[in-house]
Amino acid sequence: MSFPWAREYQPTNGLMKFFDEKLPLPRLVYNAVGAGYPVPRNLSYFWNFGVLAGFFLMVQIVTGVVLAMHYAANSEVAFFQVEHIMRDVNWGWLMRYAHANGAHFFFIVVYFHIFRGLFYSSYKAPREMIWLLGVVIFLLMMATAFMGYVLPWGQMSFWGAKVITGLFGAIPLVGEPLQVWLVGGYAPDNAALNRFFSLHFLLPFVILGVVILHVWALHIPGSSNPTGVEVKKESDTLPFHPYYTAKDGFGLGVALILYLGLVFFLPNILGHPDNYIEANPLATPAHILPEWYFFPFYAILRAFTVDFILSAKLWGVLAMFASILVWFFLPWLDKSPVRSGHYRPMFRKFFWFGLIPCMVVLFICGGAPAEEPYVMLSQIATAYYFLHFLVFLPLISSIEKPEPLPYSITEAVLGTDEDAKLPASDAAKA
Amino acid sequence: MADTTGTATPDTAMDHGEDGVRRRDFINIAAVSAAGVGGASVLIPLISQMAPSQDVLAESSTEVDVSAIEPGQAIKAIFRKQPLFVKRLTDEEIEAANAVAVDSLRDAQSLNDRTLEGHRDILVTMGVCTHLGCVPLGAAEGEVKGEYGGYFCPCHGSHYDTAGRIRKGPAPTNLEVPEYAFTSETVIQVG
């Protein structure tokens, strides 16, 4: 992307001039994240989470490659190899805890990133493609995290693998063969562990590829901003470097303090103790549950308890996948021309008092045992979840009267914008 | 005649047949079709390699000695890397199972459908909940047997009765009865 006032790359020395003429990589970087990329001047801290997500992807890739040097994907030894990493490998405990908690942090920042996008409708034109690619990244992240969690071959690993691959068995006709194909047998065993290792290694690089497309798509219209008003002129923007590199650097520092606090002082707080028990195919732990970042979707899966045309099991599976697939259609479900939730009074109410409490309830129910009142609560929350996206959002966008928008980002920041004032002759007529 | 050397301008009236289709269009279609079939046939081994391998398929059957099981007891065996429940029913459990109207069940099967002639007290089922595959409790001593005195799955709360039939909860069908036969009075062969 380039606004007309974007700074032009100037090679400063002979070497850079040589590169610029043969392979202009420095120019690409300068225009992507350097001073050559103008960004709205009013971005809040909610705009830090994209960079943080990129950072945690790199943490996962680096620590993951390191761990793969010491891990063995064989059901006989996998559990003990992880303990070997913890006890014998130099700094192995740090790498293992950094990778496990890195996944938790990756999901934390991505959830902030997604809900930022939902509140400020960052999915609306002209940014639909950024959103769609983001949903693809989220699906890939969930698949990757699931397969990674299987690798230590603890109790939660094994039974998580059994339940999640069991979901595919609910599909009519092709379900059973599909499940056997995924697992490579009739129950998770060495074949499953082995292929999950291979795919867990592959998928992060697929994610990285889609992230490149995601960032590329972002640079075509440029960043959105908290007012939802598009950039009009130079005073609306600042060069990305040094202004936002510094701000993102500060956000990264805060995130690292929290992340390393978790790694060093509470490394197991977000994990499940049963995964320190080796996998036992003959005994299911009394209360199995997925990692916390899957809780809301797990609650939707379990909300269906009554057969109705299709089996309850299949309804649950369909609803769980649909709960994420519905995000693909958001740009076309929310028709309001106003982007930012700041200027949409009715949307704002449904967001803070509808969607957010609904997600909290789903989160709590997903981690709770499948008994009352959690079953009923998750049923209500699941119903609201789909109503929100499929019914309320289209309705709100057609009947709501938005609040007045600022003329420009400059006006939103400074309270006034010379260009917004009508010329004297027009003002007299008005 | 149509130009076959490719040196002249190809799109001349001479190249067209009566229906306006050039003979070279067929070459395009044939080439793309061959490439398509070739590409698709490469996918077959790439997909099929993930299906169960020969050693997994070879684990076909297992033998279980049922003589030591007292009435009311159950043992867990392994069949195709999955738990197998072998249970000797008490008279009360058989009565309880037979007292249920078969038509009222979600998965209508009587105890006789689920056991073998002459061995009505031996119930052999997979220890795999038909919901999402957890191992139900109730086989080992002191485990919860659920509201119907059979098995209880802790994952999502499915209750099975004394004949291993689904009575309550999300599981769609009864615990699967694998193919098995008595090779002697006390030994069963499963699979």
Side-chain angles (χ1 to χ4, degrees), chain A residues 159 162-163 166-167 180-187 189 195 281-286 288 298 301-302 307 311 313 370, chain B residues 47-53 56-57 76-78 80-83 106 128 130-135 137 154-156 170 172:
Chain A
W159 292 100
K162 181 126 189 187
V163 167
L167 296 180
V180 170
W181 176 75
L182 279 173
V183 175
Y186 300 97
D189 197 23
R195 69 192 50 185
L282 295 188
T284 311
I288 73 158
Y298 193 56
L301 167 77
R302 296 194 303 182
D307 292 352
S311 71
K313 182 175 162 185
Chain B
I47 292 170
S48 166
Q49 51 83 20
M50 275 176 69
S53 55
V56 172
L57 293 173
K76 282 184 193 176
I78 300 176
R80 292 181 182 163
K81 303 246 167 162
Q82 298 189 82
R106 184 181 294 170
V128 180
T130 55
H131 182 224
L132 291 171
C134 294
V135 180
L137 301 173
C155 286
H156 306 105

Side-chain angles (χ1 to χ4, degrees), chain B residues 168-189:
Chain B
K168 189 180 169 188
T173 56
N174 300 335
L175 290 182
E176 187 195 343
V177 177
E179 264 185 50
Y180 70 98
F182 279 82
T183 51
S184 76
E185 265 309 292
T186 56
V187 176
I188 58 169
Q189 185 178 10

Side-chain angles (χ1 to χ4, degrees), chain A residues 45 48 52 244-257:
Chain A
Y45 278 109
N48 276 44
L52 292 180
Y244 284 106
T245 42
K247 188 172 181 175
D248 285 333
F250 174 73
L252 180 61
V254 173
L256 276 175
I257 289 170

Side-chain angles (χ1 to χ4, degrees), chain A residues 122-188:
Chain A
S122 301
Y123 46 79
K124 277 183 194 163
R127 296 186 180 78
E128 300 99 319
M129 191 52 81
I130 311 169
W131 176 259
L132 301 180
L133 289 166
V135 181
V136 170
I137 293 170
F138 184 61
L139 290 168
L140 287 169
M141 272 179 70
M142 300 210 325
T144 310
F146 159 64
M147 289 192 270
Y149 195 53
V150 173
L151 302 184
W153 210 240
Q155 274 288 67
M156 284 296 157
S157 303
F158 180 88
W159 292 100
K162 181 126 189 187
V163 167
I164 300 299
T165 53
L167 296 180
F168 292 91
I171 301 166
L173 298 175
V174 296
E176 291 277 344
L178 182 64
Q179 186 187 346
V180 170
W181 176 75
L182 279 173
V183 175
Y186 300 97

